[in-house]
Amino acid sequence: MTSFDCKNKFKPLTEGTYIKNAEEYKRLYKQSIEDPNAFWYEKAQEFLTWDKSFTTISSGTLKQGNVKYFEDGYLNVYQNCVLRHKEKKPNDVALIYEADDPEDARTITWLELSEQVQLYARVLKHLGVKKGDVVTIYMSTSPEAVYAMLACSYVGAIHSVIFGGFSSAAVRARVLDSKSEVIFTQNLTKRRGKLVPMKTTIDQAVEGIDFVRSVLVDEHVCNLKDQYEMRSNRDIYLKHFVSEFQKGGKYENENADMQPMSMNAEDPLFLLYTSGSTGKPKALIHTTGGYLLNAALTHKTVFDIREGDRYGCMADLGWITGHTYIVYAPLINGTTTVLFESTPDYPSITRYWDVIDKWGLTQFYTSPTAVRFVMTYGTEPLEKFSLKSLRVIGSVGEPIGVEAWNWYFKNVGKSKCYLVDTYWMTESGAIMISAIPGVTTLKRGSATLPLFGINPQLLVKNGGSKNIEMSMQKKKKQFLEIAENSQSGILTIKGHWPSITRTILGNHKRYLDTYLNPYPGYFLTGDSAYRDMDGFYFIKGRIDDVLNVSAHRFGTSELESALTLHPNTIEVAVVGMPHKIKGEAIFVFCVLKNKQVEENKIKNELKLLLQKTISKVATPEHIVVVESLPKTRSGKIMRRILKKIVTKNYEISTYGDLSTLLNPDSVKQIVSNVKKLF
Ligand code: 6R9
């Protein structure tokens, strides 16, 4: 792996970063692991305003699955995210809404945000929403969705945001599971200029579910009433209803000075469904105190957040990245945050660059899948943009790979911005492993070093390594913690941290069995990683995505990263197929930039590339060119579908839960291409 110390080239960080230098990082990191209570006590005072201070910092253990932080402390989200900033800088911009149509862009000040959240909260109160109730939010990435999220905690309710692109079946499963009685939605939204029928989808989703008593409909796209129905006794036009609570309205005086709910630090703030591989979707629960604290701390640390910054995360609100790094962390830190409703190629492929220059963004955070997508258009679209306001650029969601890393760093960061590859997951609530601007030496392809309170440990099954520090025998499972560097293993986190998810809604056993019981005392991330000689982490991908070819183990991501080095590949997915002799053989799916090439030629080149960069053993058995790969909304390739296909199972109905799939059509095409092979 190439080490890449680009410190000297960076923009001078004259005002000093939040974490000043490597020594300070090391000192604080050590404290956060060895004396976590002292560390978190201080940070909890620094980042949050408490209604009632806590006396206990943390309690419980991973083994028992009963971790708590600040359990007797009380705080309110509205005060922390909105009120304290409104009081200081009412007319500064809190939200930048970059709508699907760039002409519809607008900004919202802290004052406006506070007014809207209060009004939405009064609406919820009027509808009888109480502390602990679950409220579903099925909206696009828009200011109204943020008002709804914050209004929930104002009245003590738990929000469940469902990605606006999900089908009625996906929404239905989530509404049923969370027993959510009240739903926020929009009449329609626009995506790439096309209308998306949100309200109609909700109607189908909740058909026959009697406990859904109110559907609040924001008229996001005007004057199209013939496109959807409104049901009396259940459906309410949100804007009109909100106006009834304003001066001169029917409910002008109802709860006019309602105070935000003071929440116990351990009260749930939200639940968020993640795509389980099969079966029922699972709702992970995040709390109010610990989650908010680590969200804010990691945001400030990783993005070098300063007063006056304009920070832009391009994610969708329905993803954990949207929750933590569009809404909660920036708002706690009083940072202007962007709500990007569109896609990188609408109305043209320069959309991201337009947004950066138009608003003077100081930070830009997106996914490798988006970087690879804009890369396919080359550097020409970037030429007329200066992008000079940027200081930090970030990546999240998958391993970024060397080629995309280089391109992003050079063409977007102009070789001057810090590129932070941030590794984390819905379950962690906040970034776990990432570089820190001004502090960490960057290495291409590495998420680098752990953040505060995160103690990563690589585990191998007994017998897998000679460098043994410790062995444990528990439930007949033997595993070893790898003490030394330059090795790979299962990535776990030893001990707990404030923003770790506390449970799965209604299924604590599944929570324990999935994350905590496999290796008692350790949180199982489900990823594998390599730690190099400097202690830097390289995430290799999900554990299930390791291939064993003739007793050689390959991570799918290292194979894919090598294959994307070919100038004509946009995206690649590698899965293992059963093989009589080799045990497993490598099956490659690839999407090409230029489709007018001879397929056999490119297949040969890809074979050679793997042989050269990885090993002869890594010669693929089959390479299939496809139009697109099946992906989740957050850009993750659904390899389990591809695995079914390569085992000649062509029955799409047996592929398990496909509700989170972004492009279902891709599956049929891949099935038909693979069928031709055999
Ligand atoms: C935030 C988010 C979590 C899984 C995670 C891992 C992969 C995320 C990554 C990364 C390599 C990174 N992942 N960030 N892999 N490098 N920087 O993505 O949450 O949707 O729950 O996914 O994503 O496999 O386990 P979530």
Side-chain angles (χ1 to χ4, degrees):
M1 304 281 175
T2 359
S3 163
F4 188 56
D5 187 348
C6 28
K7 245 182 206 166
N8 300 333
K9 287 193 194 162
F10 291 126
K11 295 187 177 181
L13 300 164
T14 42
E15 296 147 62
T17 43
Y18 175 63
I19 303 300
K20 293 196 179 41
N21 48 44
E23 287 62 47
E24 186 177 5
Y25 160 73
K26 275 185 204 146
R27 180 177 58 76
L28 284 174
Y29 178 73
K30 190 164 183 277
Q31 185 199 25
S32 76
I33 301 300
E34 290 173 4
D35 190 4
N37 284 350
F39 178 85
W40 292 115
Y41 174 82
E42 207 171 287
K43 294 299 167 200
Q45 309 298 337
E46 184 184 331
F47 281 87
L48 298 174
T49 305
W50 295 85
D51 293 342
K52 179 184 165 287
S53 200
F54 48 86
T55 55
T56 314
I57 293 152
S58 72
S59 68
T61 63
L62 276 195
K63 276 187 194 159
Q64 293 167 300
N66 59 351
V67 169
K68 290 189 174 131
Y69 275 80
F70 319 117
E71 62 187 290
D72 57 348
Y74 281 80
L75 72 167
N76 80 70
V77 178
Y78 175 76
Q79 183 184 12
N80 279 280
C81 289
V82 185
L83 188 61
R84 55 188 188 165
H85 311 303
K86 180 204 106 175
E87 282 167 355
K88 224 172 91 192
K89 45 183 179 183
N91 300 317
D92 284 7
V93 173
L95 309 177
I96 293 172
Y97 170 45
E98 186 64 33
D100 188 54
D101 183 344
E103 300 287 311
D104 295 339
R106 60 190 155 96
T107 57
I108 290 102
T109 64
W110 293 100
L111 179 64
E112 286 161 340
L113 178 63
S114 73
E115 287 168 355
Q116 290 299 319
V117 173
Q118 269 178 326
L119 286 165
Y120 274 52
R122 285 167 65 200
V123 164
L124 289 178
K125 176 94 179 165
H126 179 90
L127 295 174
V129 174
K130 305 177 305 298
K131 187 171 176 194
D133 289 353
V134 176
V135 172
T136 295
I137 301 175
Y138 182 66
M139 296 170 119
S140 67
T141 299
S142 52
E144 289 71 23
V146 177
Y147 307 153
M149 288 167 82
L150 296 172
C152 284
S153 68
Y154 202 107
V155 298
I158 303 164
H159 62 68
S160 164
V161 179
I162 302 178
F163 164 57
F166 281 171
S167 65
S168 58
V171 177
R172 186 179 182 84
R174 286 155 178 76
V175 169
L176 281 172
D177 184 65
S178 63
K179 302 191 181 59
S180 167
E181 297 176 11
V182 174
I183 298 176
F184 279 97
T185 190
Q186 284 156 332
N187 58 349
L188 303 141
T189 58
K190 281 189 192 160
R191 193 153 180 90
R192 310 190 76 255
K194 289 208 188 97
L195 290 175
V196 183
M198 308 290 278
K199 172 66 170 67
T200 310
T201 305
I202 284 290
D203 286 345
Q204 290 162 359
V206 304
E207 186 64 50
I209 307 182
D210 295 338
F211 60 71
V212 174
R213 54 189 171 82
S214 306
V215 175
L216 295 153
V217 184
D218 171 42
E219 286 175 279
H220 193 60
V221 182
C222 298
N223 301 325
L224 289 164
K225 288 196 168 42
D226 55 333
Q227 303 251 347
Y228 55 92
E229 278 171 33
M230 291 292 280
R231 296 199 190 172
S232 55
N233 299 332
R234 190 195 69 184
D235 300 348
I236 301 166
Y237 277 121
L238 186 58
K239 284 203 178 87
H240 170 74
F241 201 54
V242 161
S243 71
E244 297 283 17
F245 291 80
Q246 284 170 305
K247 214 166 171 357
K250 197 155 116 196
Y251 306 116
E252 178 185 352
N253 297 319
E254 188 181 299
N255 296 312
D257 27 74
M258 179 173 72
Q259 294 305 303
M261 179 82 68
S262 198
M263 304 286 279
N264 180 273
E266 278 296 312
D267 280 338
L269 177 62
F270 64 84
L271 53 90
L272 184 59
Y273 285 89
T274 60
S275 40
S277 51
T278 48
K280 254 173 64 165
K282 54 183 177 204
L284 296 170
I285 294 197
H286 279 292
T287 61
T288 307
Y291 168 81
L292 288 179
L293 172 58
N294 204 28
L297 171 66
T298 51
H299 181 241
K300 186 143 185 141
T301 307
V302 169
F303 295 100
D304 177 34
I305 296 297
R306 304 178 193 175
E307 193 55 43
D309 275 355
R310 292 182 161 215
Y311 156 93
C313 169
M314 300 297 112
D316 191 282
L317 282 182
W319 184 20
I320 188 68
T321 308
H323 283 59
T324 306
Y325 295 109
I326 295 178
V327 180
Y328 289 110
L331 294 185
I332 293 273
N333 287 334
T335 314
T336 305
T337 180
V338 174
L339 302 165
F340 181 72
E341 193 183 40
S342 196
T343 60
D345 61 341
Y346 185 77
S348 81
I349 191 62
T350 60
R351 185 66 187 270
Y352 273 174
W353 328 129
D354 278 322
V355 171
I356 295 170
D357 275 5
K358 174 175 167 192
W359 301 106
L361 298 189
T362 37
Q363 290 88 358
F364 179 77
Y365 192 25
T366 191
S367 62
T369 184
V371 173
R372 286 195 294 267
F373 177 72
V374 291
M375 257 170 81
T376 60
Y377 291 81
T379 52
E380 202 237 305
L382 280 143
E383 274 164 16
K384 59 180 193 318
F385 298 93
S386 92
L387 311 184
K388 67 173 191 295
S389 54
L390 290 174
R391 288 201 317 272
V392 182
I393 55 176
S395 167
V396 55
E398 307 156 79
I400 175 156
V402 173
E403 210 210 351
W405 197 104
N406 284 341
W407 192 92
Y408 193 27
F409 180 74
K410 189 164 161 237
N411 299 298
V412 182
K414 309 285 181 203
S415 305
K416 285 187 180 134
C417 294
Y418 274 88
L419 196 174
V420 289
D421 175 11
T422 64
Y423 167 74
W424 59 296
M425 56 208 304
T426 311
E427 292 81 348
S428 68
I431 301 170
M432 296 194 282
I433 303 181
S434 170
I436 303 175
V439 172
T440 321
T441 300
L442 299 182
K443 292 190 191 194
R444 293 182 182 95
S446 170
T448 77
L449 297 171
L451 295 180
F452 306 119
I454 301 293
N455 185 4
Q457 294 297 336
L458 300 180
L459 305 184
V460 284
K461 293 244 163 66
N462 203 349
S465 164
K466 286 188 186 127
N467 301 304
I468 297 165
E469 182 188 61
M470 175 194 88
S471 79
M472 280 175 74
Q473 178 86 43
K474 200 99 187 185
K475 291 190 178 166
K476 291 192 200 131
K477 263 195 193 111
Q478 228 177 7
F479 71 94
L480 306 164
E481 199 177 276
I482 299 176
E484 268 144 58
N485 290 338
S486 305
Q487 290 192 60
S488 298
I490 296 169
L491 178 59
T492 62
I493 312 298
K494 194 172 182 174
H496 49 78
W497 62 98
S499 61
I500 184 176
T501 178
R502 303 292 194 266
T503 192
I504 292 173
L505 180 74
N507 203 342
H508 196 60
K509 185 173 180 301
R510 186 171 174 196
Y511 169 76
L512 298 174
D513 289 346
T514 311
Y515 306 110
L516 308 184
N517 287 344
Y519 304 108
Y522 297 74
F523 170 84
L524 178 62
T525 63
D527 291 303
S528 66
Y530 168 78
R531 189 170 57 211
D532 76 1
M533 72 260 198
D534 300 322
F536 281 47
Y537 290 87
F538 292 78
I539 311 300
K540 294 171 76 173
R542 307 293 302 166
I543 300 169
D544 337 331
D545 293 338
V546 173
L547 272 66
N548 202 330
V549 184
S550 312
H552 288 73
R553 285 164 69 83
F554 300 107
T556 48
S557 84
E558 63 179 317
L559 299 171
E560 288 165 8
S561 184
L563 289 164
T564 48
L565 291 174
H566 189 286
N568 200 12
T569 52
I570 302 177
E571 279 202 298
V572 192
V574 172
V575 292
M577 65 177 282
H579 189 279
K580 271 194 200 128
I581 300 156
K582 301 177 183 173
E584 246 182 327
I586 296 174
F587 200 121
V588 176
F589 294 89
C590 61
V591 182
L592 298 181
K593 260 180 224 167
N594 173 6
K595 294 175 181 80
Q596 315 304 325
V597 289
E598 211 205 307
E599 269 195 25
N600 280 340
K601 183 167 170 275
I602 206 147
K603 286 181 183 172
N604 262 334
E605 287 167 5
L606 290 176
K607 266 186 196 167
L608 285 172
L609 188 63
L610 277 187
Q611 291 172 345
K612 215 175 94 197
T613 51
I614 309 271
S615 116
K616 273 243 157 71
V617 188
T619 308
E621 200 71 16
H622 296 289
I623 300 178
V624 171
V625 176
V626 296
E627 281 295 316
S628 66
L629 295 166
K631 279 193 189 165
T632 65
R633 241 327 275 166
S634 55
K636 292 184 179 68
I637 297 164
M638 274 198 174
R639 287 196 187 70
R640 66 186 166 82
I641 297 179
L642 300 176
K643 278 188 203 160
K644 297 248 177 179
I645 299 177
V646 303
T647 55
K648 301 186 191 169
N649 171 353
Y650 304 129
E651 248 338 290
I652 299 178
S653 61
T654 64
Y655 293 175
D657 177 23
L658 301 186
S659 64
T660 56
L661 198 61
L662 184 66
N663 49 348
D665 291 346
S666 64
V667 182
K668 279 190 208 137
Q669 196 233 345
I670 296 171
V671 167
S672 105
N673 286 13
V674 171
K675 264 185 176 172
K676 283 184 213 148
L677 272 186
F678 299 114

